[in-house]
């Protein structure tokens, strides 16, 4: 059964996000073979979060995926993104702190989300500090370039914020 479930999961993953009807069909088959498969539940959560913007429903799928496999390396990054998009900042922060303890997880992505969380809260200095931490875990030129570009962007927002504060005084 595991091979069949994996076949359908990979078929769903291959169709995401380009052919959602085919993705959902394969995903429903995968979940019918194993309703507690964390990766399949995560992909269903991604569909609700990224495609339908139904964050509450997505959170239910992500929570179930986390309960089925608390050490899954895929679920936390998508769940955190969903929480940030839904402005559940405190929950996102707690999940980031927990996820950083999972062996083998992509710490650069988690620190990047931590930076984004600080930025959304208006703490640009902390966002820059967390981007420095992100850079420590970047192992490709592309990911390091993304971090550098984000730093420039935040610094530009900081200078605009400073200019606005000076104008109001």
């Amino acid at each position: 059964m595991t091979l069949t479930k994996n076949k359908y999961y990979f078929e769903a993953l291959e169709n995401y996000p380009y052919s959602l009807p085919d993705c959902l069909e394969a995903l429903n088959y995968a979940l019918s073979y194993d309703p507690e498969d964390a990766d399949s539940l995560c992909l269903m959560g991604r569909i609700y979060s990224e495609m339908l913007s139904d964050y509450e429903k997505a959170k239910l799928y992500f929570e179930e995926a986390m309960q089925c496999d608390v050490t899954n390396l895929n679920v936390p990054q998508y769940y955190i993104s969903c929480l940030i998009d839904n402005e559940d900042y405190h929950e996102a922060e707690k999940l980031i702190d927990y996820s950083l303890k999972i062996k083998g997880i992509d710490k650069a992505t988690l620190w990047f989300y931590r930076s984004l969380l600080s930025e959304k809260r208006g703490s640009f200095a902390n966002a820059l500090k967390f981007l420095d931490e992100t850079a420590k875990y970047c192992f490709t030129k592309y990911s390091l370039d993304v971090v550098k570009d984000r730093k420039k962007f935040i610094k530009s927002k900081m200078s605009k914020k400073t200019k606005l504060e000076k104008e109001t005084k």
Side-chain angles (χ1 to χ4, degrees), residues 10 18 26 28 41 62 68 70 77 112 128 131 141 144 168:
F10 288 129
Y18 307 107
N28 283 323
L41 291 166
F62 288 129
C68 292
V70 294
Q77 65 181 329
F112 189 84
L128 290 172
L131 282 175
K141 182 178 175 356
L144 194 55
T168 57

Side-chain angles (χ1 to χ4, degrees), residues 9 12-13 16 20 23-29 31 37-52 54 57-62 64-65:
Y9 168 70
L13 197 57
Y16 183 78
L20 288 179
C23 174
L24 283 168
E25 182 180 351
L27 197 51
N28 283 323
Y29 279 125
L31 287 169
D37 179 53
D39 288 317
S40 297
L41 291 166
C42 177
L43 185 54
M44 190 66 87
R46 287 181 64 192
I47 291 169
Y48 279 97
S49 178
E50 297 167 9
M51 297 292 118
L52 303 174
D54 185 347
K57 187 111 178 194
K59 285 170 39 177
L60 294 173
Y61 279 105
F62 288 129
E64 190 174 346

Side-chain angles (χ1 to χ4, degrees), residues 52-113:
L52 303 174
S53 298
D54 185 347
Y55 301 117
E56 294 305 319
K57 187 111 178 194
K59 285 170 39 177
L60 294 173
Y61 279 105
F62 288 129
E63 287 170 11
E64 190 174 346
M66 291 288 291
Q67 288 174 359
C68 292
D69 184 1
V70 294
T71 61
N72 186 293
L73 300 179
N74 295 319
V75 177
Q77 65 181 329
Y78 298 111
Y79 192 7
I80 291 165
S81 178
C82 173
L83 290 170
I84 291 172
D85 290 342
N86 198 44
E87 298 179 4
D88 294 325
Y89 300 144
H90 182 69
E91 293 165 50
E93 186 174 8
K94 286 184 357 186
L95 184 55
I96 291 168
D97 291 340
Y98 167 78
S99 300
L100 283 168
K101 298 172 188 162
I102 299 173
K103 186 176 179 179
I105 201 155
D106 181 7
K107 289 180 175 44
T109 299
L110 296 176
W111 282 108
F112 189 84
Y113 280 137

